[in-house]
Amino acid sequence: MRIQKYIYIVSLAALMAGLASCGKKLDIEPKQNVDANTAITTAEDVEQTIIGAYGVMDAGALYGCKLVMFPELYATDKNNSDKYLGWLGSFDTPREIANKTISVSNGDVTAIWIQAYRTINIANTVLESLDVVKDQEQQQAFKGEALFIRGLMHFELVRLFAQQWTGGPTAPNAEAGVPILLKASSTTEIASEKVPRKTIGEVYQQVIQDLTDASSMMPEDNAERASQYTALAILARVYLQKGDYANALAAADQVIQSTKYALNAKVTDVFETRNTRESVWEIQQNDQNNAGNANDGLATFYTNQDDGNGGVKGRADFVVSEQFAATFDADDLRGTELIYVGTGSRRGALACGKYTDFGQNIPIVRISEMYLIRAECNLRLGSAVGAVPAQDLNLVRRRAGLADIAAPVLDDIIKERVFEFFGEGLAVHDLKRLNKPTYGGIAFNDRKMVFPIPERERQTNNLLEQNPGY
Amino acid sequence: MKRFYSLLLGIFLLMAQLVHAQQKTVSGKVTDARDGSALPGVTVKVKGSNVGTLTSPEGDFKLNLPDGAKTLVLTYVGYADQEVVLTGQSNINVSLSTGNKELSEVVVIGYGTQSRKEVTGSISKVSGSQFETQPLPTFETALQGRTTGVYISGGSGKLGQAANIKVRGISSVNAGQQPLYVVDGVPIVSTSIGSATSDGEPDNPLAAIDPNEIESIDVLKDAASASIYGARGANGVILITTKRGKVGATKINFGAATGFSRPTHKQKFLNASQYRELFTEAATNSGVNIEEEFAANTGTDDWNKNFDTDWANAGLRNGTYNEYTLSINGGDEKTRFYISGVYNNQKGILVGNDQKRYGGRINIDHNISSRAKVGANLNLMRTSGNRIVPDNGFDNPIQLNALSPLQPLRDDQGRYNSSTLYYNNLINLTDGRNLMWSYQAISNIFLSFDILPGLTFKTDYGFNYQNLEEEEYFGRRTQIGGGKGGYGFNNQAKSISQIWSNTLNFVKDFNEKHNLGVLVGIFYDDNTQRNNFVQAENFPNDRFQKIANASKITGGTSFETGRANVSYISRINYKFLNRYLLQANVNVNGSSRFGYFDRKYRYGIFPGVQLGWIVTEEDFLKNSKVLSFLKVRAGYGRTGNDNIGNFDSRKLFGSINYGERIGILPVQLAAEDLRWEKMDEVNVGLDFGFIGDRINGTIDVYNRKTQDMLLDLNLPATGGYQKLRRNIGAMRNRGVELGINSKNLVGEFKWNSNFTITVNRNKVLDMAGTTIEPGTRSLGRIAEGGAFGYFYGKKFAGVDPQNGDALYYDAAGKTTNDWAAAADQKIGDPNPDFYGGLGNNFSFKSFYLDVQTQFVYGNDIFNQAGFFQSASADYFDNQTIDQLNRWQKPGDVTNVPQARLYGGNGTKKSSRWVQNGSFLRVKSVSFGYNVPKKFLSDLKIASARVYVSANNLFTITDYTGYDPEVNTSYLGDTQLGHDFYTPPQAKTVIFGVNVGF
């Protein structure tokens, strides 16, 4: 009996002691994620973080859809457009854009803000991790690419959430722009900082700085990612937006002179084939990785097709008005090839044929834009850098099956931009820089023509002043 | 910690040593006081110890008495406890009578049981017998109206959907509101493990628990009681005990039930002529051509045809209910078993929704020797069915009510029409499938050993395994599969939990005056979840539906996550003179979710103290004729909550796809000092019985305060992150609960009543300056000073009689037609003022009738679908019938603004669609007949019962939507009382028979 008792005691004590070591089992590591402090230790890690930023830029909130579709809807007259492109879908966030009744809690507007700054933070994280890249050339290239991404996102933000640049290239533009973020959120404290809006002038200055630096550091070829010419092409856009035609001309000319890019034979090629010569930069997608095929993504909203199997493809929420379609010259291949009568969700409605495949790439800058920028700037400045305006303009027109214009005037070039880029996200920015009203007659500097600072941002950062009118 | 327990162990052994001495034997027979028949399976125990046995099939028992044993306690379910004083006799015959049942009821308290009489906490109990003839959607429904302090909203009429359960209000904002479910000591994973990318309503693991095998459900409501589960007790603990074998002849019970179901209520929408009238007027008012607009938006010329389709009811149907159960139980003093099986097949009230559940359970208890016991509970349940999408999906059959009555149900080929305003999801019935299969096992094995008289060691290992398979195929004509040559999806999710507890339990009486019970133990549990899915497109045709048949894989993943908890448990129960009660417990709990940066945040200490005084045991009340029982009790306890993401405190990088490449990116910030959310509660209660307990009841008053809430703090997105998990803020719930049972008539005609009512007030005390805002289409807001999820937005002020504009109130209380200029304010509260139920139970000879009602009062419901369906013909969605009361000409006084197509007249978020959601519902009715034994004995049948019973038989409410018992699940935990095309509950009537052999 005695011995038996000791056996109990010993075995029980052993059991209790064994159980007490359960505490060690509480150390569990995540499986799909890695600790941030050790995530970037090699050059490859830095490069993958850059790719991460591209991944975010493919989000539906950015180039995956909204940065392309919203500038079109913002330019139109009303959602069921009579004059341009319109929105017939049930989602009310795009409808608010088309009707200029944007609420401060518009989910898509909020998402653009959030995802753009998320991308900027990734770029800043890259910039602060460069010391692990030992190869100097590679380090420069990565630095340039991160600066390009940071500059690009600040540019998209400032032209949507702040008033149009006015008063010529040297005007101060001291109205509120957007917050400028140049520091990675490496700690919780930095991430929680309340950052005020900088002036429009300051934001443009930073954007130009970043893109200029980027263009001097990035490689000439960078596979399917942005190259130094992408930075120059965006820089041309930035200068054009602020009316700095001389600099826009120089940047556009540099891109063209590189001879890396050329117009495709057909107007549809750039949307049907990945990474053609016409593209200065495309967002890469495939069937598996894309911005969406049900509730987001360009093809989802633009496509209005019978899938040939008794079903339909696309929601066909984004439509082309009859009146706008009628403004195309009858021979214009962009009207005949890139506008079609829907056979899908909205049978009979006209649709824009640029995005019809959920997994297709999204061209962000095409060389035709550079030709038209060079043409416009040469015409405005009375110069002939690279080519005379007529030559650049007619290059684009001929490809579209149109006759030459021997002596173009400014309006010819502006119109050409409308026909060439409809649906691609340039519309409202062009109207604003040209100080033209929307298709519905709203002045370019109307308070409604600036997105509101998202409500959630103002609730978390009391330093952010709201735009007038909201 | 280790040292502390070694010390405790030492003390135990010492105490055990003191009581270890000589033994002698006593034997006897236990009979039923009614007819003198032998009672098998009666527990005979030495008072104040765990020395005990069960009576044999002949009612006999034999027991070795430890030295100092003075009293035997005999307990038997359904009979009053009886004590026998030992005066040296070796043979004792006892007869037990049914009597004071309520107070002899055994209550499960976590790692043990307690007599109802001695309970010092606030615990609600529902026995299986109370719902055995009721068709339950899921077992939680059994608690509705029958328990105080437990608010249960069925959510919707989808089969197997999780009910929304709140114990004593909402105690947490972001760290889960669900109580902890424990089945026979095994905590189970009760939240969905399904894939977020699936097109199905989140799965509900609780649907795998078969109500038929439940012996009792005990709800630990107050923190002092729940703190024994410290870690995860903050939202209350629901303890489910399954049936066990009883000593005696083997009993076989067979049940069959069949019935039908219908929606509780249908909403009324415009018919074709009303639709034409309203929309023609709306188009005229907006200066557009109705024919053109209708054609542009639908792509059809249906405006000019003569269809009149009842889309609103096209997604609803009559359902069916079929269930067969079989249970076998029996055993002897050495081995007892309970075996059960169930087959349950339901066709839902929504088209395309059905569910099957089948499986079984084996519970075994075996006495190895007089000191060692072993047992096992083994269970496997399969649930499968055709699922419905979440409420916000176009595939939700209720969303069919948005389609225009002018459009036909079928096209000219007889197929479901695909040229409709929105997707006609009836096409899914013929061209799609959305299936799930779930396998769930909740099992454990345990061994207990009496080391010394009064000292028992128990080890219990359990596991909870879930395997969920989700499979979808949507063909070419469907919305999901259209344009891609069909769409297939397959997801496999597993959740594996293991639980190991080791406890030492010591029970001892000292001098008959002091009763002491001490429990110490260690409890470890972990959980691993894994899932992998693949999705694909482009199938040869719609007859090929497996991923193997697809050419394009468009998505896939494998995923794994895990957590572990360990708790060190200790509890002391002390009773003095049978009337002064004390219970104290401490639970030290560690969670893998905390303490990565600093170990001190890993553990939390969760104490609980309860005191009770059975006043009626005092001499001055002992002989009171009126007051038969009175106990006052008070308790304080602290519980914790770690119900957040497994790695919320960590600073992490994740990956993201980009075309053919893969990138990495920062995804989460560090929360270095993340720690337990704590909830402190003070509970004061009173248990009473009058006139021989013919009226008895319970009153509880509580005040609970949650601190260090695990809140998602919103960050400025400019830093690249939207939120950070922090311990901030505080919330309070205060309430009163009253439950009364009465035996109104006790003769041949029996009439019992029970009444429960609960009042709970929630207030968010502190949010550290942050708020959780409603978002674009919701109203629920969480902000300092308000109740959780109160409705916040613009207040609708009706219609301007001059021009038909929708009006809102501005800050000064004046009306304006400018929505943006109106003031945001409180416009409702989804939390009820009070809720409860009244049950009546009648029996006469062999007939019985049970009627259980449920009421909820003072809550508001926001019909979110109002944006589309009650929006003054703003878009082509069919409108609710009340929209016909629109303003038409100056002078009209109405609440429905002028109809304006695309006009946005009163279509912005406002109180226009907030309604009172109070209701009174006859939750269940059961009428049955127990066939008298004399008719059965010749048939070798022991018992037989036939019954008819019904759920949700009728409802009184002012709510004009489908059903006031509503809570759409797609908006998550923070939006209460929102209705968004949410299917109504089912009204179910079943006929059943139970036969025992």
Side-chain angles (χ1 to χ4, degrees):
Chain A
M1 185 67 211
R2 239 189 136 66
I3 291 168
Q4 219 180 335
K5 200 165 73 194
Y6 280 113
I7 293 171
Y8 300 149
I9 293 169
V10 170
S11 53
L12 262 174
L15 190 62
M16 294 305 252
L19 278 167
S21 68
C22 281
K24 291 200 187 78
K25 298 205 167 196
L26 300 184
D27 293 324
I28 296 178
E29 281 294 307
K31 308 282 186 200
Q32 285 73 234
N33 300 100
V34 298
D35 197 281
N37 295 323
T38 57
I40 304 181
T41 53
T42 65
E44 287 72 35
D45 296 336
V46 175
E47 183 164 19
Q48 263 155 4
T49 312
I50 293 172
I51 295 170
Y54 284 95
V56 178
M57 285 195 285
D58 182 29
L62 301 179
Y63 296 114
C65 182
K66 306 296 154 45
L67 287 182
V68 175
M69 189 174 80
F70 277 12
E72 300 295 327
L73 292 177
Y74 215 5
T76 199
D77 48 335
K78 58 179 184 177
N79 69 306
N80 188 8
S81 176
D82 288 333
K83 295 174 177 163
Y84 187 55
L85 312 177
W87 180 263
L88 284 182
S90 55
F91 290 136
D92 58 358
T93 40
R95 196 189 312 165
E96 284 184 11
I97 307 294
N99 292 337
K100 322 293 180 288
T101 55
I102 308 171
S103 73
V104 292
S105 57
N106 183 300
D108 284 330
V109 168
T110 307
I112 291 173
W113 176 282
I114 289 170
Q115 297 301 332
Y117 279 109
R118 185 171 171 222
T119 311
I120 289 170
N121 180 48
I122 300 171
N124 284 327
T125 303
V126 170
L127 291 171
E128 291 181 15
S129 309
L130 289 171
D131 50 358
V132 303
V133 185
K134 302 300 177 206
D135 180 316
Q136 285 308 305
E137 197 182 325
Q138 199 179 28
Q139 195 190 65
Q140 279 295 96
F142 290 166
K143 184 176 180 184
E145 203 167 354
L147 288 172
F148 160 75
I149 292 166
R150 185 171 82 181
L152 176 65
M153 287 295 108
H154 278 113
F155 175 55
E156 294 292 4
L157 286 163
V158 75
R159 59 180 181 164
L160 288 171
F161 290 93
Q163 286 282 355
Q164 165 62 24
W165 179 286
T166 50
T170 55
N173 282 276
E175 300 84 8
V178 293
I180 298 177
L181 270 289
L182 303 178
K183 212 167 31 169
S185 295
S186 53
T187 66
T188 303
E189 288 65 40
I190 299 174
S192 314
E193 263 175 34
K194 296 175 179 177
V195 186
R197 297 172 72 173
K198 290 281 164 81
T199 68
I200 296 169
E202 287 167 321
V203 179
Y204 269 84
Q205 192 185 354
Q206 183 64 44
V207 167
I208 290 167
Q209 180 75 52
D210 280 350
L211 292 173
T212 308
D213 291 350
S215 69
S216 69
M217 296 173 179
M218 292 168 79
E220 283 194 48
D221 280 305
N222 200 14
E224 79 283 6
R225 293 181 357 224
S227 68
Q228 62 170 258
Y229 297 110
T230 315
L232 285 168
I234 298 294
L235 203 50
R237 257 191 205 173
V238 175
Y239 284 127
L240 194 69
Q241 197 70 36
K242 60 183 284 208
D244 187 343
Y245 302 111
N247 278 315
L249 173 62
D253 185 53
Q254 246 183 297
V255 179
I256 297 166
Q257 298 294 346
S258 76
T259 68
K260 288 184 176 298
Y261 312 101
L263 292 181
N264 294 328
K266 292 197 291 183
V267 292
T268 52
D269 287 347
V270 75
F271 303 105
E272 286 171 354
T273 311
R274 294 175 200 279
N275 305 315
T276 60
R277 281 199 77 192
E278 184 169 331
S279 276
V280 180
W281 181 43
E282 290 186 356
I283 285 287
Q284 308 290 312
Q285 296 197 126
N286 62 25
D287 292 332
Q288 197 166 344
N289 306 315
N290 53 57
N293 57 29
N295 289 323
D296 211 340
L298 289 170
T300 304
F301 296 129
Y302 282 49
T303 309
N304 186 2
Q305 292 179 354
D306 184 334
D307 73 349
N309 286 308
V312 297
K313 186 176 183 184
R315 302 173 61 107
D317 290 337
F318 185 82
V319 294
V320 177
S321 73
E322 303 271 355
Q323 195 176 322
F324 176 68
T327 61
F328 283 78
D329 189 291
D331 298 329
D332 193 331
L333 293 167
R334 294 165 303 195
T336 55
E337 301 282 312
L338 290 170
I339 294 176
Y340 63 98
V341 179
T343 52
S345 301
R346 284 177 219 282
R347 237 175 282 162
L350 295 180
C352 168
K354 293 185 175 178
Y355 312 103
T356 53
D357 184 2
F358 305 120
Q360 82 181 63
N361 279 2
I362 302 164
I364 302 300
V365 190
R366 298 196 277 123
I367 194 65
S368 54
E369 184 184 351
M370 294 300 113
Y371 283 119
L372 291 177
I373 289 178
R374 190 167 75 174
E376 178 180 343
C377 294
N378 270 328
L379 195 113
R380 284 179 185 271
L381 299 170
S383 59
V385 176
V388 295
Q391 190 184 335
D392 283 341
L393 172 66
N394 291 332
L395 204 59
V396 176
R397 285 179 62 83
R398 261 176 241 159
R399 200 264 302 255
L402 297 173
D404 284 358
I405 297 176
V409 293
L410 186 62
D411 200 42
D412 292 325
I413 296 169
I414 301 303
K415 267 190 195 153
E416 203 58 43
R417 285 177 67 97
V418 172
F419 294 131
E420 179 71 12
F421 300 119
F422 76 95
E424 292 183 61
L426 272 60
V428 80
H429 305 307
D430 268 359
L431 293 177
K432 284 186 182 180
R433 74 177 174 87
L434 297 166
N435 296 356
K436 283 183 167 184
T438 65
Y439 286 86
I442 297 174
F444 82 98
N445 56 359
D446 192 285
R447 290 171 165 191
K448 290 178 190 157
M449 293 312 294
V450 181
F451 281 180
I453 302 298
E455 192 177 31
R456 87 163 292 283
E457 281 308 286
R458 303 218 323 126
Q459 279 158 357
T460 52
N461 178 357
N462 52 14
L463 301 179
L464 288 181
E465 38 175 320
Q466 185 53 282
N467 284 323
Y470 288 103
Chain B
M1 194 77 337
K2 203 189 291 184
R3 187 175 298 168
F4 170 67
Y5 278 93
S6 307
L7 186 68
L8 260 184
L9 179 71
I11 295 169
F12 261 110
L13 290 167
L14 191 66
M15 289 196 294
Q17 189 82 20
L18 292 173
V19 299
H20 182 65
Q22 280 288 313
Q23 299 189 338
K24 55 183 180 179
T25 313
V26 66
S27 59
K29 189 180 178 75
V30 183
T31 50
D32 190 332
R34 259 185 321 194
D35 53 10
S37 63
L39 283 178
V42 177
T43 306
V44 183
K45 243 183 176 176
V46 176
K47 194 175 175 188
S49 80
N50 56 358
V51 174
T53 186
L54 295 172
T55 56
S56 71
E58 290 76 39
D60 297 328
F61 71 91
K62 190 176 177 187
L63 195 61
N64 290 325
L65 295 177
D67 195 38
K70 296 211 173 88
T71 311
L72 287 184
V73 184
L74 288 84
T75 51
Y76 191 54
V77 177
Y79 289 73
D81 292 1
Q82 192 162 331
E83 297 192 357
V84 180
V85 178
L86 294 167
T87 51
Q89 66 276 58
S90 61
N91 199 321
I92 298 171
N93 291 323
V94 187
S95 61
L96 293 184
S97 59
T98 53
N100 193 341
K101 220 158 137 185
E102 282 76 18
L103 291 172
S104 65
E105 180 180 68
V106 173
V107 174
V108 184
I109 57 172
Y111 308 102
T113 57
Q114 214 169 31
S115 150
R116 166 65 78 193
K117 194 175 169 184
E118 292 167 8
V119 165
T120 44
S122 178
I123 301 174
S124 287
K125 183 186 189 82
V126 173
S127 299
S129 58
Q130 285 173 266
F131 54 83
E132 63 187 356
T133 60
Q134 198 192 325
L136 296 175
T138 50
F139 78 90
E140 312 95 278
T141 324
L143 302 172
Q144 275 181 315
R146 292 195 173 95
T147 50
T148 59
V150 186
Y151 179 62
I152 299 170
S153 169
S156 84
K158 290 175 216 170
L159 289 175
Q161 198 201 11
N164 209 316
I165 302 192
K166 313 272 188 297
V167 176
R168 291 191 164 174
I170 292 169
S171 303
S172 183
V173 174
N174 289 140
Q177 299 162 2
Q178 250 198 345
L180 173 70
Y181 293 89
V182 179
V183 178
D184 292 327
V186 179
I188 60 166
V189 173
S190 58
T191 48
S192 166
I193 63 165
S195 168
T197 46
S198 101
D199 296 291
E201 179 78 17
D203 57 294
N204 171 23
L206 297 177
I209 296 174
D210 178 23
N212 297 297
E213 58 187 38
I214 296 178
E215 174 73 34
S216 69
I217 306 171
D218 295 83
V219 187
L220 309 184
K221 296 183 293 188
D222 64 317
S225 301
S227 60
I228 193 73
Y229 286 98
R232 283 163 287 160
N235 295 322
V237 182
I238 296 186
L239 302 169
I240 295 156
T241 309
T242 59
K243 292 174 179 166
R244 310 203 69 79
K246 295 188 179 76
V247 174
T250 301
K251 285 183 184 150
I252 301 171
N253 211 298
F254 172 75
T258 183
F260 56 87
S261 58
R262 291 161 58 173
T264 48
H265 176 237
K266 292 176 178 176
Q267 215 171 333
K268 287 199 172 63
F269 288 83
L270 306 181
N271 64 25
S273 69
Q274 291 164 330
Y275 184 92
R276 266 205 187 80
E277 174 193 331
L278 185 68
F279 279 84
T280 305
E281 184 180 315
T284 308
N285 291 337
S286 294
V288 295
N289 180 312
I290 185 64
E291 278 182 56
E292 282 174 20
E293 295 299 327
F294 191 86
N297 281 281
T298 62
T300 69
D301 59 351
D302 289 336
W303 181 267
N304 299 316
K305 293 182 179 164
N306 286 315
F307 297 106
D308 186 358
T309 308
D310 181 13
W311 286 106
N313 287 320
L316 293 166
R317 65 179 179 190
N318 290 342
T320 59
Y321 182 98
N322 284 292
E323 182 175 82
Y324 304 95
T325 58
L326 181 68
S327 74
I328 305 169
N329 92 81
D332 53 24
E333 304 94 290
K334 245 181 132 47
T335 308
R336 293 157 306 282
F337 65 92
Y338 169 83
I339 301 173
S340 74
V342 64
Y343 172 83
N344 179 300
N345 187 353
Q346 298 180 55
K347 195 176 104 179
I349 54 168
L350 290 160
V351 294
N353 188 202
D354 55 61
Q355 181 185 281
K356 266 185 207 155
R357 175 176 65 219
Y358 53 94
R361 165 174 291 278
I362 304 173
N363 289 351
I364 293 177
D365 298 279
H366 176 73
N367 297 5
I368 300 171
S369 70
S370 62
R371 295 167 70 184
K373 285 179 204 146
V374 66
N377 305 323
L378 303 170
N379 146 275
L380 186 65
M381 196 65 72
R382 173 182 143 136
T383 316
S384 64
N386 285 288
R387 291 201 290 179
I388 293 296
V389 301
D391 297 342
N392 59 331
F394 282 112
D395 287 348
N396 167 8
I398 298 297
Q399 289 213 6
L400 291 172
N401 66 29
L403 301 188
S404 166
L406 306 186
Q407 300 204 277
L409 194 70
R410 291 177 185 274
D411 62 17
D412 43 22
Q413 295 177 50
R415 302 178 306 182
Y416 284 119
N417 179 16
S418 65
S419 305
T420 44
L421 177 68
Y422 300 110
Y423 174 60
N424 174 4
N425 61 51
L426 294 171
I427 294 169
N428 289 358
L429 297 179
T430 51
D431 291 52
R433 9 185 246 143
N434 189 348
L435 300 165
M436 62 81 77
W437 297 265
S438 159
Y439 300 87
Q440 171 147 211
I442 305 167
S443 298
N444 58 324
I445 49 173
F446 51 88
L447 172 77
S448 75
F449 187 78
D450 299 341
I451 301 171
L452 296 166
L455 179 64
T456 307
F457 170 75
K458 185 177 181 189
T459 184
D460 189 332
Y461 176 82
F463 65 90
N464 173 210
Y465 175 79
Q466 278 181 57
N467 184 331
L468 174 74
E469 185 175 356
E470 301 173 290
E471 182 170 288
E472 295 168 20
Y473 179 78
F474 289 100
R476 293 162 159 74
R477 295 190 73 236
T478 66
Q479 173 169 263
I480 297 174
K484 28 182 112 142
Y487 166 87
F489 170 88
N490 186 288
N491 179 49
Q492 298 275 350
K494 286 188 207 60
S495 161
I496 307 126
S497 305
Q498 54 172 352
I499 297 99
W500 189 25
S501 70
N502 287 278
T503 51
L504 274 174
N505 203 348
F506 178 71
V507 189
K508 171 73 181 150
D509 291 352
F510 297 96
N511 305 329
E512 281 292 287
K513 287 181 181 161
H514 309 273
N515 310 102
L516 179 70
V518 182
L519 171 87
V520 296
I522 297 183
F523 184 92
Y524 169 82
D525 80 307
D526 62 26
N527 173 261
T528 305
Q529 296 199 6
R530 294 198 193 107
N531 87 301
N532 46 275
F533 82 81
V534 59
Q535 61 185 32
E537 299 172 5
N538 205 25
F539 293 73
N541 59 53
D542 288 343
R543 286 180 298 156
F544 290 95
Q545 303 192 343
K546 289 285 177 183
I547 304 284
N549 308 124
S551 73
K552 225 191 238 184
I553 303 294
T554 54
T557 190
S558 77
F559 177 88
E560 179 175 345
T561 186
R563 60 144 193 93
N565 281 67
V566 59
S567 19
Y568 302 90
I569 309 155
S570 50
R571 177 168 66 203
I572 292 177
N573 287 82
Y574 173 68
K575 184 168 70 167
F576 179 58
L577 292 174
N578 271 328
R579 67 195 81 149
Y580 306 108
L581 310 165
L582 164 75
Q583 178 177 313
N585 45 267
V586 181
N587 189 327
V588 178
N589 204 291
S591 167
S592 63
R593 287 165 175 155
F594 306 118
Y596 174 77
F597 296 96
D598 187 339
R599 283 284 184 273
K600 74 178 176 198
Y601 297 120
R602 175 155 280 173
Y603 290 89
I605 299 176
F606 305 99
V609 177
Q610 302 172 355
L611 295 168
W613 176 28
I614 305 174
V615 189
T616 39
E617 289 285 325
E618 299 286 356
D619 291 343
F620 60 87
L621 271 179
K622 213 159 192 171
N623 299 315
S624 165
K625 290 272 188 299
V626 181
L627 192 62
S628 50
F629 182 73
L630 179 67
K631 176 174 70 188
V632 290
R633 52 191 164 75
Y636 156 79
R638 165 175 282 193
T639 52
N641 193 340
D642 71 339
N643 202 358
I644 52 172
N646 288 337
F647 304 103
D648 279 8
S649 74
R650 301 286 301 270
K651 188 180 178 190
L652 297 173
F653 259 58
S655 67
I656 184 169
N657 293 102
Y658 176 62
E660 303 292 320
R661 307 287 295 272
I662 180 92
I664 61 174
L665 75 176
V667 292
Q668 189 170 286
L669 289 165
E672 280 96 350
D673 58 351
L674 205 67
R675 57 196 181 273
W676 288 89
E677 178 173 302
K678 299 172 191 72
M679 200 275 289
D680 293 290
E681 178 173 0
V682 174
N683 187 87
V684 178
L686 199 65
D687 298 334
F688 55 85
F690 292 103
I691 328 167
D693 291 338
R694 273 185 65 175
I695 299 170
N696 68 73
T698 293
I699 300 172
D700 278 287
V701 180
Y702 60 87
N703 187 353
R704 41 168 53 195
K705 187 176 172 193
T706 311
Q707 294 173 80
D708 278 354
M709 285 199 293
L710 286 163
L711 212 60
D712 275 332
L713 179 69
N714 286 328
L715 298 180
T718 44
Y721 299 88
Q722 294 178 60
K723 59 189 182 182
L724 175 65
R725 189 68 89 170
R726 298 309 298 264
N727 289 95
I728 46 174
M731 184 157 60
R732 183 182 69 200
N733 282 283
R734 296 199 285 208
V736 182
E737 300 165 353
L738 169 66
I740 293 179
N741 300 302
S742 69
K743 294 181 181 133
N744 307 329
L745 293 171
V746 289
E748 196 169 29
F749 182 73
K750 291 194 182 63
W751 174 26
N752 298 338
S753 299
N754 66 74
F755 175 75
T756 66
I757 185 164
T758 303
V759 178
N760 184 75
R761 291 288 176 273
N762 174 289
K763 189 175 183 184
V764 177
L765 301 175
D766 175 16
M767 290 279 284
T770 187
T771 57
I772 296 180
E773 296 296 328
T776 316
R777 285 215 189 114
S778 310
L779 286 181
R781 183 175 196 243
I782 303 169
E784 274 169 32
F788 183 99
Y790 75 95
F791 291 168
Y792 182 77
K794 318 278 191 197
K795 195 168 180 185
F796 182 64
V799 178
D800 188 333
Q802 298 314 306
N803 56 20
D805 281 355
L807 296 176
Y808 305 92
Y809 290 106
D810 67 12
K814 293 199 177 109
T815 59
T816 169
N817 65 356
D818 179 3
W819 179 85
D824 282 321
Q825 54 185 294
K826 178 179 170 176
I827 52 175
D829 190 342
N831 301 292
D833 293 342
F834 60 83
Y835 61 89
L838 172 66
N840 279 294
N841 171 308
F842 309 91
S843 65
F844 179 71
K845 292 186 173 167
S846 297
F847 291 93
Y848 70 90
L849 173 67
D850 259 327
V851 182
Q852 182 68 46
T853 63
Q854 176 205 5
F855 57 82
V856 176
Y857 184 85
N859 60 311
D860 292 312
I861 296 175
F862 178 50
N863 178 22
Q864 228 185 3
F867 281 106
F868 308 102
Q869 63 186 208
S870 309
S872 304
D874 183 57
Y875 193 62
F876 289 96
D877 292 64
N878 197 5
Q879 302 288 296
T880 49
I881 199 98
D882 61 327
Q883 297 302 299
L884 288 176
N885 303 326
R886 75 282 187 195
W887 183 96
Q888 285 177 292
K889 56 182 189 305
D892 281 359
V893 176
T894 171
N895 247 342
V896 181
Q898 187 186 33
R900 292 173 196 163
L901 189 63
Y902 314 133
N905 193 14
T907 58
K908 293 262 190 196
K909 187 175 80 177
S910 74
S911 63
R912 179 174 179 186
W913 303 299
V914 173
Q915 287 189 33
N916 183 342
S918 304
F919 68 89
L920 170 67
R921 167 164 275 176
V922 178
K923 194 69 205 167
S924 68
V925 176
S926 187
F927 175 68
Y929 175 64
N930 289 308
V931 183
K933 284 206 164 106
K934 59 184 174 190
F935 298 137
L936 298 171
S937 47
D938 294 345
L939 300 166
K940 302 228 187 261
I941 291 173
S943 64
R945 167 163 61 198
V946 289
Y947 61 88
V948 54
S949 85
N951 268 5
N952 299 329
L953 200 55
F954 71 89
T955 307
I956 301 168
T957 182
D958 288 338
Y959 184 61
T960 60
Y962 283 98
D963 194 313
E965 191 181 336
V966 65
N967 209 44
T968 185
S969 59
Y970 90 95
L971 289 167
D973 278 350
T974 51
Q975 298 295 334
L976 308 176
H978 281 52
D979 184 351
F980 189 71
Y981 300 100
T982 308
Q985 302 274 324
K987 177 192 295 186
T988 311
V989 177
I990 66 161
F991 305 89
V993 56
N994 270 333
V995 186
F997 303 95

